PDB file of all heavy atoms in Angstrom:
ATOM      1  N   ILE G 253     -21.593  -9.454 -14.578  1.00 97.00           N
ATOM      2  CA  ILE G 253     -20.418 -10.223 -14.190  1.00 97.00           C
ATOM      3  C   ILE G 253     -19.229  -9.292 -14.112  1.00 97.00           C
ATOM      4  O   ILE G 253     -19.066  -8.447 -15.022  1.00 97.00           O
ATOM      5  CB  ILE G 253     -20.162 -11.364 -15.234  1.00 97.00           C
ATOM      6  CG1 ILE G 253     -21.226 -12.430 -15.151  1.00 97.00           C
ATOM      7  CG2 ILE G 253     -18.783 -11.994 -15.032  1.00 97.00           C
ATOM      8  CD1 ILE G 253     -21.157 -13.523 -16.230  1.00 97.00           C
ATOM      9  N   MET G 350      -8.701  12.452 -11.538  1.00 98.00           N
ATOM     10  CA  MET G 350      -9.339  11.232 -11.290  1.00 98.00           C
ATOM     11  C   MET G 350     -10.857  11.347 -11.434  1.00 98.00           C
ATOM     12  O   MET G 350     -11.561  10.512 -11.949  1.00 98.00           O
ATOM     13  CB  MET G 350      -8.931  10.712  -9.925  1.00 98.00           C
ATOM     14  CG  MET G 350      -9.215   9.222  -9.783  1.00 98.00           C
ATOM     15  SD  MET G 350      -8.266   8.204 -10.810  1.00 98.00           S
ATOM     16  CE  MET G 350      -9.239   6.634 -10.851  1.00 98.00           C
ATOM     17  N   PHE G 364     -11.023   2.714  -3.245  1.00 98.00           N
ATOM     18  CA  PHE G 364      -9.790   3.412  -2.935  1.00 98.00           C
ATOM     19  C   PHE G 364      -9.204   2.936  -1.694  1.00 98.00           C
ATOM     20  O   PHE G 364      -9.868   2.528  -0.715  1.00 98.00           O
ATOM     21  CB  PHE G 364     -10.193   4.912  -2.774  1.00 98.00           C
ATOM     22  CG  PHE G 364     -10.633   5.562  -4.006  1.00 98.00           C
ATOM     23  CD1 PHE G 364     -11.968   5.606  -4.381  1.00 98.00           C
ATOM     24  CD2 PHE G 364      -9.667   6.250  -4.820  1.00 98.00           C
ATOM     25  CE1 PHE G 364     -12.353   6.200  -5.562  1.00 98.00           C
ATOM     26  CE2 PHE G 364     -10.069   6.929  -5.995  1.00 98.00           C
ATOM     27  CZ  PHE G 364     -11.445   6.866  -6.342  1.00 98.00           C
ATOM     28  N   ALA G 420      19.360  11.313  10.785  1.00 73.00           N
ATOM     29  CA  ALA G 420      20.154  10.052  10.587  1.00 73.00           C
ATOM     30  C   ALA G 420      21.603  10.274  11.084  1.00 73.00           C
ATOM     31  O   ALA G 420      22.204   9.344  11.676  1.00 73.00           O
ATOM     32  CB  ALA G 420      20.227   9.646   9.146  1.00 73.00           C
ATOM     33  N   GLN G 424      23.488   7.907  14.083  1.00 75.00           N
ATOM     34  CA  GLN G 424      24.730   7.167  13.918  1.00 75.00           C
ATOM     35  C   GLN G 424      25.780   7.515  14.915  1.00 75.00           C
ATOM     36  O   GLN G 424      26.854   6.883  15.062  1.00 75.00           O
ATOM     37  CB  GLN G 424      25.189   7.375  12.490  1.00 75.00           C
ATOM     38  CG  GLN G 424      24.299   6.701  11.437  1.00 75.00           C
ATOM     39  CD  GLN G 424      24.624   7.127  10.029  1.00 75.00           C
ATOM     40  OE1 GLN G 424      25.501   7.965   9.761  1.00 75.00           O
ATOM     41  NE2 GLN G 424      23.961   6.533   9.032  1.00 75.00           N
ATOM     42  N   GLN G 433      28.154   1.509  19.827  1.00 88.00           N
ATOM     43  CA  GLN G 433      27.520   2.498  18.979  1.00 88.00           C
ATOM     44  C   GLN G 433      26.258   1.903  18.369  1.00 88.00           C
ATOM     45  O   GLN G 433      26.186   0.721  18.004  1.00 88.00           O
ATOM     46  CB  GLN G 433      28.482   2.900  17.869  1.00 88.00           C
ATOM     47  CG  GLN G 433      27.953   4.037  17.017  1.00 88.00           C
ATOM     48  CD  GLN G 433      29.026   4.539  16.105  1.00 88.00           C
ATOM     49  OE1 GLN G 433      30.128   4.067  16.033  1.00 88.00           O
ATOM     50  NE2 GLN G 433      28.664   5.522  15.221  1.00 88.00           N
ATOM     51  N   TYR G 453      14.077  -8.615   3.419  1.00 94.00           N
ATOM     52  CA  TYR G 453      13.209  -9.451   4.319  1.00 94.00           C
ATOM     53  C   TYR G 453      14.078  -9.908   5.522  1.00 94.00           C
ATOM     54  O   TYR G 453      13.606  -9.909   6.633  1.00 94.00           O
ATOM     55  CB  TYR G 453      12.591 -10.629   3.531  1.00 94.00           C
ATOM     56  CG  TYR G 453      11.748 -10.251   2.407  1.00 94.00           C
ATOM     57  CD1 TYR G 453      11.718 -11.047   1.256  1.00 94.00           C
ATOM     58  CD2 TYR G 453      10.951  -9.088   2.439  1.00 94.00           C
ATOM     59  CE1 TYR G 453      10.903 -10.666   0.160  1.00 94.00           C
ATOM     60  CE2 TYR G 453      10.177  -8.790   1.321  1.00 94.00           C
ATOM     61  CZ  TYR G 453      10.167  -9.557   0.159  1.00 94.00           C
ATOM     62  OH  TYR G 453       9.380  -9.195  -0.876  1.00 94.00           O
TER      63      TYR G 453
END
Side-chain angles (χ1 to χ4, degrees):
I253 291 175
M350 195 67 200
F364 292 87
Q424 293 169 354
Q433 187 173 359
Y453 301 144

